[in-house]
Amino acid sequence: MIAPVTALPQVIGHRGAPGHRPENTLASYRLAVRLGADAIEPDLVPTRDGVLVARHEHEISRTTDVALHPELADRRCTKVVGGREVTGWFTEDLTLAELRTLRAVERHPQLRPGNTRYDGRWPVPTLDEICALVHHESRRSGRRIRLCAEVKEASYFASVGLPVESTLLEVLARHRLDGPGGRCQVQSFEEDVLRGLAGRTELPLVQLVDAGERPDVAHVATYAQVLGVHTSLATPALVAEAHAAGLAVHAWTLRAELVADPYAEVRTLLDAGVDGLFSDQPGLTVEARAQWLAAQEQTG
């Protein structure tokens, strides 16, 4: 499959628009589209009854008000996930009905205190609801909004009898988002998960690479179509190497609060040749991209 490189670098609403609304909520995704994002990115984890929902981690004490629900106090426990102990409440221990009694809260209240005024407003969304939002916002905006779905801890979930990949493909097929035309792509940090998906779908697959790692571009190109790298790795040399191997390159994540000049950061990444930018403030990134494109036209 040819990598989905587009002429216009894409702006992807990272968990929606979490610079403005609590992440991974329908309100956050909707705002991202209305700020001009070309795509939205939900993080997906399963409930006990196998429904995929959007949370950054399956431990939900930082992203919901679960601690305020005494009826769920007995679900608090400690697990070993990815080689480390984690204590809290986990989506795989709650049915969808139980999870729907909770409300989302701001994950980074110190970084984004303004978002805390939205605490308690919205439930945890399902992948079905997110797919429906993609279709609705595409019709409303007259743009073909895309979905970048990240499967979280898929190997762990398989080990506890919740294989998320099959559920993901079933939901995408139900919403007609499973074709090879670039409407949706699936990303993961886990190579084995992506390799398993490569034999089951024509969807573009994205190998995520964290800061401090050095991706083997030629190796990634044997099973994926996109290299999704931390912004610190998105150098002109790496982007050129990836493009030569047939891979598109996405950089994550732009957070305006953490840099002195977010517009300069966007320009640097676009000058490096990246094909996509994950952003917590997609409106700012769309504006910075427009300025960069205008400058490119002026210089010929």
Side-chain angles (χ1 to χ4, degrees):
M1 186 189 305
I2 298 173
V5 179
T6 57
L8 180 68
Q10 300 290 285
V11 173
I12 303 158
H14 179 244
R15 308 171 198 159
H20 309 285
R21 301 289 188 275
E23 66 184 33
N24 282 320
T25 59
L26 292 181
S28 186
Y29 301 133
R30 188 176 298 112
L31 180 59
V33 175
R34 298 187 181 195
L35 291 172
D38 305 293
I40 56 173
E41 183 246 9
D43 298 319
L44 300 173
V45 295
T47 62
R48 191 173 75 192
D49 41 355
V51 179
L52 287 179
V53 296
R55 289 292 87 188
H56 180 253
E57 303 97 0
H58 56 129
E59 197 290 296
I60 54 173
S61 61
R62 292 180 60 198
T63 60
T64 73
D65 61 359
V66 64
L68 301 179
H69 288 253
E71 72 278 11
L72 298 175
D74 63 341
R75 309 296 177 83
R76 189 173 187 270
C77 63
T78 299
K79 302 187 180 191
V80 177
V81 182
R84 63 187 183 92
E85 284 194 353
V86 182
T87 299
W89 289 262
F90 298 84
T91 59
E92 67 269 25
D93 296 332
L94 303 176
T95 65
L96 178 63
E98 290 171 326
L99 189 68
R100 291 295 239 179
T101 66
L102 310 181
R103 290 296 179 267
V105 300
E106 171 56 41
R107 181 165 167 258
H108 297 292
Q110 290 77 30
L111 182 66
R112 292 164 178 163
N115 281 1
T116 60
R117 68 183 182 273
Y118 301 110
D119 285 358
R121 290 198 185 188
W122 300 299
V124 174
T126 65
L127 177 57
D128 275 295
E129 291 173 326
I130 297 166
C131 291
L133 181 146
V134 166
H135 285 301
H136 175 79
E137 289 298 317
S138 294
R139 291 191 298 269
R140 184 200 61 79
S141 66
R143 297 187 291 126
R144 190 176 174 85
I145 305 304
R146 296 170 50 244
L147 183 68
C148 299
E150 181 177 350
V151 289
K152 309 286 288 192
E153 303 287 356
S155 296
Y156 164 78
F157 289 122
S159 74
V160 296
L162 292 168
V164 298
E165 299 96 315
S166 296
T167 304
L168 171 66
L169 295 179
E170 289 167 7
V171 175
L172 294 178
R174 186 159 61 244
H175 290 272
R176 305 180 309 282
L177 292 171
D178 60 335
R183 189 70 184 275
C184 178
Q185 60 188 31
V186 180
Q187 54 188 26
S188 175
F189 284 97
E190 298 181 88
E191 178 183 333
D192 289 347
V193 171
L194 294 175
R195 284 192 173 279
L197 282 166
R200 303 176 61 186
T201 181
E202 295 184 78
L203 291 171
L205 303 177
V206 185
Q207 176 63 65
L208 297 174
V209 182
D210 209 343
E213 300 179 14
R214 170 61 187 175
D216 183 336
V217 172
H219 177 70
V220 171
T222 64
Y223 61 88
Q225 291 72 47
V226 185
L227 189 63
V229 299
H230 187 272
T231 54
S232 62
L233 301 177
T235 63
L238 179 67
V239 174
E241 182 183 354
H243 285 172
L247 293 169
V249 179
H250 291 171
W252 55 270
T253 299
L254 297 163
R255 293 186 170 98
E257 304 96 339
L258 301 182
V259 295
D261 187 344
Y263 288 86
E265 184 180 31
V266 172
R267 289 194 300 271
T268 296
L269 291 166
L270 293 176
D271 285 342
V274 301
D275 307 287
L277 296 164
F278 283 82
S279 177
D280 282 5
Q281 288 91 2
L284 183 155
T285 305
V286 168
E287 183 182 358
R289 178 184 64 181
Q291 294 177 2
W292 180 84
L293 289 168
Q296 297 296 301
E297 291 175 0
Q298 290 178 0
T299 59

